[in-house]
Amino acid sequence: MGAEASDQIKYLSERIPATFVLAGVDVEGTGLFAGRRGGQIASRYTLIPTSPFRHKTEEQRGSWRSLVATLEESLRLRAHRPGTLLNLSSYLHDRTSGMIGSLSHLVREAALDALLDGSERITKASLERVDLDESAEQQNIPRARRRRRRGTKHVA
């Protein structure tokens, strides 16, 4: 992480009476906490590692379903049937490997497609047509290959 960004984080945290929540991927490996500047930042923040949502126990599945339900409630598609995504929660977990970012991308892209094609609803078929981020697609290589063979969109 650059010195300018470190200085900006330090400046804001010293001058604004607020609680800051910073999020990032592989924060430990970026050098954010290295050196003199990094040491000052490290003394102001607590690192809270996260991981994908698990789906083995009923409690874990319930947490995932709660996330899916919350996401579905935010949809404003005229013809979308409430509960559709909730009923597909296991499929959504398999497809995204429990990653919130992948889930958000999947639902957002399906919603945009639903607006563009005029259907204004999300179905399993419309979700299947969405290409996900590379990490999620790597978890589901057979599914990604099937979609590509059917001629769906793919960005190299």
Side-chain angles (χ1 to χ4, degrees), residues 14-152:
E14 287 175 346
R15 286 168 177 75
I16 299 174
T19 299
F20 288 85
V21 177
L22 309 175
V25 176
D26 189 28
V27 174
E28 304 93 329
T30 64
L32 176 65
F33 301 132
R36 174 181 274 168
R37 286 181 169 105
Q40 291 177 350
I41 291 172
S43 68
R44 291 177 169 88
Y45 293 95
T46 301
L47 188 63
I48 303 172
T50 61
S51 62
F53 275 77
R54 303 289 176 230
H55 206 250
K56 293 184 185 210
T57 69
E58 186 54 41
E59 182 180 354
Q60 292 168 340
R61 288 187 292 274
S63 294
W64 177 255
R65 283 192 302 268
S66 178
L67 174 64
V68 170
T70 299
L71 189 58
E72 185 169 36
E73 288 169 11
S74 70
L75 290 175
R76 297 297 178 254
L77 298 173
R78 180 179 37 84
H80 181 75
R81 291 186 190 147
T84 299
L85 294 184
L86 191 56
N87 289 335
L88 294 171
S89 65
S90 289
Y91 161 80
L92 293 170
H93 188 275
D94 289 345
R95 182 83 194 277
T96 64
S97 301
M99 298 292 292
I100 295 173
S102 299
L103 174 66
S104 176
H105 171 84
L106 176 59
V107 173
R108 182 176 52 249
E109 285 293 317
L112 287 171
D113 289 346
L115 288 170
L116 292 172
D117 70 18
S119 67
E120 291 210 31
R121 60 182 258 186
I122 296 176
T123 63
K124 185 174 182 182
S126 67
L127 291 164
E128 276 289 316
R129 290 190 294 269
V130 174
D131 284 332
L132 286 178
D133 55 273
E134 189 60 24
S135 178
E137 291 292 8
Q138 288 298 316
Q139 300 294 321
N140 293 292
I141 288 178
R143 175 181 281 118
R145 285 186 186 136
R146 282 195 308 273
R147 278 201 326 278
R148 288 183 187 124
R149 275 199 301 266
R150 289 193 308 247
T152 58

Side-chain angles (χ1 to χ4, degrees), residues 1-11 30-32 34 36-38 40-41:
M1 182 165 171
E4 290 177 15
S6 293
D7 288 345
Q8 189 65 33
I9 290 170
K10 182 178 174 238
Y11 174 85
T30 64
L32 176 65
R36 174 181 274 168
R37 286 181 169 105
Q40 291 177 350
I41 291 172

